[in-house]
Amino acid sequence: MSEILSYLKGQQDAIAETLINLTKAESPSTNKDLVDRCGKVIREEFERLIGGSVEVIEKTEVGNQYKFGYGNESAKDQVLIIGHLDTVWDEGALKIMQEGNTLYGPGVFDMKGGLTITLWAIKAIKDANLKINRNITFLVTTDEEIGSEHSKEIILQEAKKSVVVFIPESSIAPDGSVKTERKGTGHFSMKIEGISAHAGINAWEGASAIEEMAHQILDLKKLANRKEGISINIGLINGGTRANVIAKEATAEIDVRFTKKAHAEKLTQKIIKRPTFIKGTKIEVTGKIERYPLERTKQVIKLYKDLKKIAASHGYELGEGSTGGASDGNFTAGIGIPTIDGLGPVGDGAHSEDEHVDLTNLPYRAALLAEIILKYAANPN
Ligand SMILES: [Zn+2]
């Protein structure tokens, strides 16, 4: 067994305590005061366990963000780990509860477990007294669950200085596989204007926005391609005023997912530039691609192989998989920085009432992260 793993196994209760402390400080994305309170907890934990550099990135609309550093700050590049403090849970919505070695609670899996293993991975590196050539930067954001509008800039800025990015987001249940592929996402709004008329008196003079919308929806669905990994969902529609009036207006919200960055531009053009089907109607589509995909590139496969080797030396097999959901790893992968995701704990139930993590596995995930960080921070080549 590696020294790092045996050290962390000896710290299992202390690791669980860090996770419980972070979980108790509930942090719904939209409540700045609560997220800031959780931010103080992670800062205290970082200072208590590691004591490296701390930079607070003050925010007005969302919780303050943190940039923690350990290692060699004068190095020209760094190893970056990104995590988010915010959760999808309102305060008190989910009970914190321990049953045997399983911890249930808001954000334990997505992703306070990941924040915990990152703190302890850096702590293990520190206590191993190894020479670090690159800086290890741990960026903690506060709005991932609501689209990362307030952190995208700093994420990209830090990613550009990085040789590699690790995302300790929840792993793939139930076996803890890492995520070597994430879909890109886009969100668009469609607005159709028709000509209203009385459905009985002058039915042939109107131009129905709803009828036009029906054509548009079916036409949009033609862009979906299962083999290519492109999906389109029109998840919300609105329109019309009453049954006997030809609808003057209709709107729709469109969600797009795709696996290849090369598809982004073409999809955007096809969604935005839309001819109408019914004479007299007008259409306007706004929106954009929000996150590029994390593609399973050669670099990502290399990172996975590195991780698999470490896991094998710890006595288990590490799997890989893909997911349709996006994370902040999509931003860093989108600008070409090798990124691997799903390094968080073994557990299940992200965004569901069953959210939980396996406490006995935390030392293994912290050791996995510590050793992959060391591979890139201690022996740059
Ligand atoms: Zn997350």
Side-chain angles (χ1 to χ4, degrees):
M1 194 192 298
S2 78
E3 275 177 40
I4 295 243
L5 177 58
S6 56
Y7 166 83
L8 286 163
K9 281 182 92 166
Q11 302 290 332
Q12 192 185 304
D13 291 346
I15 300 174
E17 198 187 310
T18 297
L19 176 54
I20 292 167
N21 289 343
L22 284 169
T23 309
K24 279 184 181 161
E26 295 193 46
S27 48
S29 315
T30 48
N31 188 325
K32 175 172 167 63
D33 289 344
L34 286 181
V35 180
D36 280 346
R37 192 183 64 176
C38 187
K40 281 193 189 124
V41 174
I42 198 167
R43 182 192 183 144
E44 278 162 20
E45 291 285 313
F46 180 79
E47 285 173 341
R48 179 175 71 86
L49 297 170
I50 300 144
S53 68
V54 177
E55 192 185 312
V56 185
I57 303 139
E58 304 264 353
K59 295 279 160 188
T60 48
E61 286 169 58
V62 297
N64 293 336
Q65 300 172 353
Y66 289 87
K67 204 176 107 180
F68 300 119
Y70 177 79
N72 179 5
E73 283 192 57
S74 56
K76 66 174 195 336
D77 48 25
Q78 64 183 10
V79 169
L80 180 64
I81 306 131
I82 306 174
H84 63 87
L85 278 179
D86 61 318
T87 77
V88 296
W89 299 102
D90 286 336
E91 189 181 26
L94 214 58
K95 249 187 28 210
I96 304 170
M97 182 171 75
Q98 191 174 340
E99 259 175 28
N101 288 314
T102 306
L103 182 73
Y104 294 84
V108 289
F109 190 47
D110 184 7
M111 62 173 286
K112 291 180 177 179
L115 300 173
T116 300
I117 64 156
T118 306
L119 289 170
W120 278 91
I122 304 173
K123 164 83 172 156
I125 289 170
K126 188 195 169 196
D127 287 0
N129 266 321
L130 299 168
K131 185 170 164 14
I132 306 297
N133 298 309
R134 284 191 170 117
N135 210 44
I136 302 165
T137 300
F138 179 22
L139 180 67
V140 178
T141 69
T142 49
D143 63 339
E144 197 274 344
E145 299 291 5
I146 49 171
S148 302
E149 274 300 307
H150 304 272
S151 49
K152 187 178 176 184
E153 203 177 313
I154 182 121
I155 289 168
L156 292 174
Q157 188 185 313
E158 290 302 321
K160 282 176 193 156
K161 295 187 268 178
S162 306
V163 287
V164 64
V165 180
F166 300 119
I167 311 279
E169 278 273 11
S170 45
S171 62
I172 298 173
D175 66 350
S177 292
V178 295
K179 294 167 178 170
T180 49
E181 189 177 64
R182 273 189 188 268
K183 284 189 174 179
T185 61
H187 180 227
F188 297 86
S189 302
M190 179 184 286
K191 194 175 163 189
I192 294 172
E193 207 186 302
I195 299 164
S196 67
H198 191 293
I201 300 166
N202 48 4
W204 307 106
E205 283 161 31
S208 168
I210 289 177
E211 207 176 316
E212 175 64 29
M213 176 70 72
H215 285 290
Q216 292 293 344
I217 289 170
L218 294 177
D219 196 54
L220 271 171
K221 287 297 284 185
K222 288 181 191 155
L223 297 174
N225 183 326
R226 192 169 190 167
K227 224 174 103 207
E228 293 281 352
I230 300 169
S231 61
I232 308 259
N233 183 50
I234 295 97
L236 185 71
I237 59 169
N238 259 304
T241 48
R242 55 189 70 217
N244 63 0
V245 176
I246 293 173
K248 185 170 164 49
E249 214 176 88
T251 58
E253 299 297 323
I254 305 153
D255 177 286
V256 186
R257 311 261 159 167
F258 55 104
T259 49
K260 294 191 187 80
K261 189 179 176 184
H263 289 150
E265 189 51 30
K266 223 163 100 189
L267 273 170
T268 304
Q269 289 310 314
K270 285 195 169 156
I271 294 169
I272 287 201
K273 290 186 184 148
R274 303 203 64 77
T276 53
F277 292 81
I278 294 170
K279 210 175 150 220
T281 58
K282 280 188 233 158
I283 185 165
E284 186 194 20
V285 185
T286 54
K288 60 179 191 309
I289 297 299
E290 288 175 333
R291 285 170 165 133
Y292 286 127
L294 191 165
E295 289 186 49
R296 193 176 176 279
T297 59
K298 274 191 192 132
Q299 296 169 317
V300 175
I301 296 167
K302 159 107 180 40
L303 283 174
Y304 169 60
K305 284 188 175 156
D306 291 341
L307 286 163
K308 209 173 142 99
K309 222 164 121 184
I310 297 167
S313 80
H314 294 172
Y316 67 98
E317 201 183 312
L318 183 72
E320 62 163 328
S322 70
T323 171
S327 85
D328 288 335
N330 290 61
F331 294 135
T332 61
I335 57 164
I337 313 294
T339 301
I340 193 153
D341 204 330
L343 289 165
V346 169
D348 204 352
H351 300 200
S352 94
E353 289 183 0
D354 181 44
E355 179 164 11
H356 64 271
V357 297
D358 174 1
L359 295 174
T360 52
N361 195 260
L362 291 175
Y364 283 89
R365 300 301 275 206
L368 179 68
L369 183 60
E371 289 185 36
I372 191 80
I373 291 172
L374 278 172
K375 186 174 164 57
Y376 289 88
N379 309 300
N381 40 44

